[in-house]
Amino acid sequence: MYRISFFIVLMTICLPAFSCEITMGYRTSARLPLIAAMPSNQGLYKAIYQRAAQNINCKLVIKRAPKKRTIKLLNEGAIDFYPGYGFNQTRSEFTHFFENGLTSHSVVITHRDVAKIDNLKQLENKVLLKPYGGRKSAIEEQDIMVRYGQDLDIADAIKVIEKKQADFFIYNKASIDYYLAQQPNAQIKIHDCCYLAKPMHFGFSRKSKHYESSLNPNYLPEQAVSVNNVPYLVNEGSVASAFANAVKALAESGVIKQLEQQYYSAALDSEQPASSDISATKH
């Protein structure tokens, strides 16, 4: 009896005591090596954000759902953040953007039969493939057709491009290079023509219980809303601020760069492609 009681007490003492839970949301499909397909959550995102959460005495929880559903939960504050989230004005109404220590360098992916692309103007009257829930990009202001795929991952996208069911797909260079190193495909051509590398961000829900904000005295309403020009500031005493600072510290100390090199050079478990329910909309 005493031994059992002692064992229970010992187990309780050894368990980590988290002061909070921070919930990351992501779609069900993979984006290797950032995150594996559901039900696995392994990948670079988990490695970064789990460390950041632990460094502020919190626990990282990861929830997976179709992207449209995940973004809805983010906007409602039912999940706290999305790990790689591109900025736009509409999203900024619900989400605060913080740098995540990674960079994004987009490239254009086409069938190998497509001539070399030097600028986005050449893509007019073509068919863009993109996932449901993805932000609207500048290319969509042109006269193009958009085909959407539910929880579209890179394996699905390449299949669609191979079959010439869409003309092009825009994706992160490091991720497509990683995928093609694992799954070579002679039918695919990469055009590194039209985008510069830029910092990536994670989006923290402004309705999260961990988020508090105040008015930004440096906001310039006569200028366009941007990552650095929004009407609000995150409060320094909030969990959201502490978490963002923990991610920033990992970047500044070189930890994120080391993790990035580790994950991009190591083969993760093979992707489990999600089905692509493709529909079309004219822009």
Side-chain angles (χ1 to χ4, degrees), residues 106-112 114 117 123 127-129 153-155 157-162 166-173 175-177 179-180 185 187-193 195:
S106 296
V107 293
V108 178
I109 303 168
T110 70
H111 193 277
R112 69 174 184 178
V114 174
I117 296 171
L123 298 173
V127 179
L128 166 67
L129 178 65
D153 65 9
I154 187 58
I158 285 179
K159 288 178 183 177
V160 175
I161 296 295
E162 271 188 302
D167 295 309
F168 67 103
F169 184 63
I170 298 173
Y171 203 62
N172 180 269
K173 184 179 186 300
S175 295
I176 184 60
D177 287 347
Y179 179 82
L180 291 177
N185 192 316
Q187 301 302 311
I188 298 301
K189 182 183 288 187
I190 308 299
H191 306 262
D192 188 359
C193 60
Y195 298 95

Side-chain angles (χ1 to χ4, degrees), residues 114 122-128 143-146 167-168 282:
V114 174
Q122 294 172 252
L123 298 173
E124 284 192 349
N125 301 311
K126 303 296 185 182
V127 179
L128 166 67
D143 186 19
I144 62 170
M145 178 82 77
V146 180
D167 295 309
F168 67 103
K282 181 69 175 178

Side-chain angles (χ1 to χ4, degrees), residues 30-77:
R31 185 175 176 181
L32 295 176
L34 298 175
I35 190 167
M38 185 180 173
S40 173
N41 294 316
Q42 295 304 311
L44 180 57
Y45 279 154
K46 181 180 178 181
I48 292 172
Y49 295 114
Q50 190 171 64
R51 280 170 172 77
Q54 289 173 343
N55 287 348
I56 61 169
N57 200 32
C58 290
K59 177 183 178 181
L60 179 70
V61 176
I62 301 175
K63 293 185 177 180
R64 309 290 289 273
K67 187 167 184 178
K68 286 186 73 174
R69 172 67 176 160
T70 301
I71 299 308
K72 182 176 184 294
L73 294 173
L74 179 70
N75 292 345
E76 294 171 349

Side-chain angles (χ1 to χ4, degrees), residues 232-245:
Y232 49 81
L233 291 173
V234 64
N235 289 354
E236 288 298 321
S238 67
V239 172
S241 176
F243 184 63
N245 286 334

